[in-house]
């Protein structure tokens, strides 16, 4: 089992300006590629494929490298880094966008370094489905492709998205988005339907309500880790997907039990992310922290003996 | 353990007129007391306390009696039975009320027969908190009181509701209602706060997202049983609470494991209720059906070995 592979992660590296009920956090480090890579690197080396402007701090890139995140595929070009500004109200489940400054992201033309072309496992974080397809075409020996998306692409690039879904193994999608994508209100049914157009495995992320996986005509349902305080939900979904992917990279043969454990890992790491501001928590947790939280999680979800 | 006690259930016995995307079902049997009693009676005898009009079918009362539901506390008076009309859209999570004909329900003045006064376990389904208090006052030897409520009372009888919460052991409340009641958006935190004003145990019903229990400064989180088809969600919450209470009635000493199992039982029975129209499913399931579904539920929620 332990021949950990290097995984590809394609996503954004960005600045986020976030307002929560507790405070404002301008221009902190964010982006789907950032969160996913930091989470994945707990388990496996990462080839990060992204684009940044000259204003992005080299110290952060160095931090990435020190964690085993190879940034050869992160292109730096003239101009400003992608910047998302948003806020959360009391209901921390919903992010409201104030402003999206795409900046150099409009020039993102992902070209995989040779090592990334040969990697077997790829996580395509939420970017334009055309770019996701462009990445897939460069893979020489793909064994496992995991894709995330969002309402923007479902609404504006539906055909392209459906097309790329036919090329991937696992779809990660959130609760509202799977309804939008399928037109079905029953999420369990929606997950089942989606396997007909491509991905063998559908994972529905439900935030505070946990997650649901559909695979081999069967379901796996997980509650979230109960948290009485959520500081900043930004990046929770990318953390979930990143650690899920990184965990899987440790195994040559991915069984159902391994998939389920990967979902628990995703649940645990994202519960850390939301307890800090931005990447503060996810970049500091260790495997030992996860071991402890998993133990606690097992306690809060386990039914000891069902006899009646 | 097996000295099953008779439990009291106080709630409505009613007609429901329900429209779902699949059809209209006028004037079928419904009511919180009905669902809760049918579910509880899988495990324990029930004293049902309610009120009906002369139009209510005696055959249904006979069915209740045949299941071990004692209806001595169901008063029949001149007039028409309570009638709720409502509908569900594609999103079966939300019931929309078309009309509420209270009819004889306005005269509900619950008087407990002597057997009910002596019962140790009482489930107060969702009725006016003043009536809930009136019932509690008649109990001579209460050991366990479980209370359900709804947004109507939170909005219109907040003080009375808070008052009666000080007298009960377990609060059953749904996801939106606990936010309304506490003014807190984090449900985990809300559950914790509510234990400060009375109930030792808070159970949050989240429909398709499962449930969450707060008890002894600790949480227990359960996903729902995944269902690709929901026929009629009416009565799911009352089924949940009724079977939970009926299950507990089998034990003299209620441990944490027993509480957790009772929640699984609630989850299973309510998953049956929503698969049929009205009371069709809940009145026909047997313990053997539950055993099978629990086995399946354990499969779809169990993480075999977490090693990483």
């Amino acid at each position: 089992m332990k021949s950990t592979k290097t995984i590809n992660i394609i996503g954004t590296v960005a600045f986020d300006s976030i307002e929560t009920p507790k405070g404002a956090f301008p221009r902190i480090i964010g982006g789907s590629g950032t969160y996913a890579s930091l989470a994945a690197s707990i388990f496996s080396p990462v080839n990060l494929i992204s684009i940044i402007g000259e204003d992005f701090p080299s110290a952060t890139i160095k931090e990435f490298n020190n964690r085993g995140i190879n940034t050869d595929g992160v292109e730096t070009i003239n101009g400003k880094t992608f910047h998302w500004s948003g806020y959360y109200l009391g209901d921390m489940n919903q992010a409201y966008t104030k402003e999206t400054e795409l900046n150099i992201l409009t020039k993102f033309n992902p070209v995989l370094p040779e090592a990334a072309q040969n990697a077997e496992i790829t996580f395509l974080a939420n970017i334009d489905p055309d770019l996701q397809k462009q990445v897939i075409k460069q893979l020489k020996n793909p064994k496992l492709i995991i894709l995330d998306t969002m309402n923007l692409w479902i609404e504006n690039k539906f055909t392209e998205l459906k097309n790329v879904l036919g090329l991937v193994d696992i779809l990660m999608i959130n609760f509202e988005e799977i309804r939008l994508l399928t037109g079905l209100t029953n999420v369990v049914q929606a997950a089942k339907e989606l396997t007909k157009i491509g991905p063998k495995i559908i994972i529905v992320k439900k935030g505070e309500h946990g997650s649901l996986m559909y695979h081999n005509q069967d379901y796996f349902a997980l509650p979230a880790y109960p948290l009485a305080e959520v500081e900043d939900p930004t990046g929770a979904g990318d953390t979930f997907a990143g650690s899920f992917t990184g965990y899987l990279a440790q195994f040559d043969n991915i069984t159902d039990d391994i998939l389920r454990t990967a979902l628990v890992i995703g649940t645990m790491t994202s519960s850390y992310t939301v307890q800090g501001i931005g990447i503060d928590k996810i970049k500091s947790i260790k495997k030992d922290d996860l071991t402890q939280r998993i133990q606690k999680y097992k306690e809060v979800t386990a039914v000891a003996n069902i006899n009646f």
Side-chain angles (χ1 to χ4, degrees), chain A:
Chain A
M1 80 172 236
K2 294 280 182 189
S3 62
T4 305
K5 290 169 276 291
T6 303
I7 64 171
N8 296 329
I9 292 180
I10 293 84
T12 58
V13 172
F15 290 120
D16 285 346
S17 291
I18 294 164
E19 287 168 43
T20 76
K22 292 194 185 160
F25 308 93
R27 292 184 71 78
I28 58 177
I29 304 297
S32 59
T34 300
Y35 281 101
S37 296
L38 289 171
S41 64
I42 298 170
F43 300 100
S44 73
V46 174
N47 298 317
L48 176 58
I49 318 296
S50 193
I51 187 167
I52 53 176
E54 287 168 323
D55 55 349
F56 197 82
S58 57
T60 303
I61 297 297
K62 203 164 182 180
E63 271 188 73
F64 288 175
N65 298 155
N66 290 342
R67 287 179 71 102
I69 302 169
N70 183 311
T71 52
D72 290 351
V74 179
E75 193 186 1
T76 307
I77 66 169
N78 271 331
K80 289 166 103 180
T81 300
F82 172 47
H83 179 206
W84 177 77
S85 307
Y87 60 95
Y88 300 90
L89 301 176
D91 179 354
M92 300 291 275
N93 279 306
Q94 173 77 40
Y96 299 93
T97 294
K98 270 173 84 171
E99 202 179 350
T100 302
E101 300 165 56
L102 291 173
N103 299 330
I104 52 79
L105 192 60
T106 57
K107 295 176 185 152
F108 191 27
N109 174 38
V111 176
L112 272 54
E114 199 176 336
Q117 290 173 29
N118 292 314
E120 294 176 2
I121 303 178
T122 298
F123 171 54
L124 300 158
N126 159 40
I127 53 170
D128 185 325
D130 285 332
L131 297 183
Q132 291 178 322
K133 190 173 180 181
Q134 180 180 326
V135 169
I136 293 172
K137 281 184 175 171
Q138 296 174 60
L139 298 171
K140 291 181 180 160
N141 185 27
K143 295 259 173 80
L144 181 68
I145 303 177
I146 300 164
L147 180 143
D148 197 353
T149 192
M150 75 182 290
N151 49 359
L152 180 70
W153 312 121
I154 298 169
E155 284 162 351
N156 300 324
K157 291 215 165 183
F158 189 72
T159 308
E160 294 84 347
L161 177 61
K162 284 221 165 176
N163 189 269
V164 75
L165 282 180
L167 307 174
V168 308
D169 304 289
I170 303 181
L171 171 65
M172 292 261 178
I173 189 162
N174 85 22
F175 190 66
E176 288 77 24
E177 288 160 0
I178 194 171
R179 292 178 160 182
L180 189 63
L181 178 59
T182 61
L184 295 168
T185 49
N186 183 309
V187 172
V188 176
Q189 194 184 359
K192 196 172 174 176
E193 285 300 312
L194 273 179
T195 57
K196 293 177 187 166
I197 63 164
K200 293 182 296 289
I201 301 172
I202 309 293
I203 294 166
V204 185
K205 299 174 291 181
K206 305 197 293 177
E208 68 181 305
H209 300 304
S211 60
L212 181 77
M213 173 166 68
Y214 182 75
H215 176 223
N216 276 344
Q217 317 220 31
D218 214 344
Y219 296 97
F220 179 52
L222 273 184
Y225 183 83
L227 288 174
E229 297 280 347
V230 169
E231 295 298 327
D232 172 16
T234 311
D238 302 309
T239 301
F240 187 95
S243 58
F244 174 86
T245 310
Y247 180 78
L248 292 184
Q250 301 174 112
F251 304 92
D252 290 324
N253 182 27
I254 295 173
T255 63
D256 230 57
D257 275 352
I258 290 171
L259 274 174
R260 289 175 169 214
T261 304
L263 277 181
V264 174
I265 298 289
T267 304
M268 295 303 98
T269 51
S270 55
S271 77
Y272 277 104
T273 289
V274 305
Q275 284 188 297
I277 301 295
I279 59 172
D280 277 359
K281 278 275 182 187
I282 188 62
K283 75 176 182 186
S284 63
I285 59 162
K286 304 270 175 285
K287 275 195 187 182
D288 280 355
D289 302 316
L290 284 177
T291 308
Q292 279 178 36
R293 186 160 288 193
I294 285 172
Q295 189 49 45
K296 183 69 191 162
Y297 182 70
K298 284 166 91 170
E299 284 166 32
V300 303
T301 59
V303 179
N305 294 299
I306 301 180
N307 295 309
F308 66 97

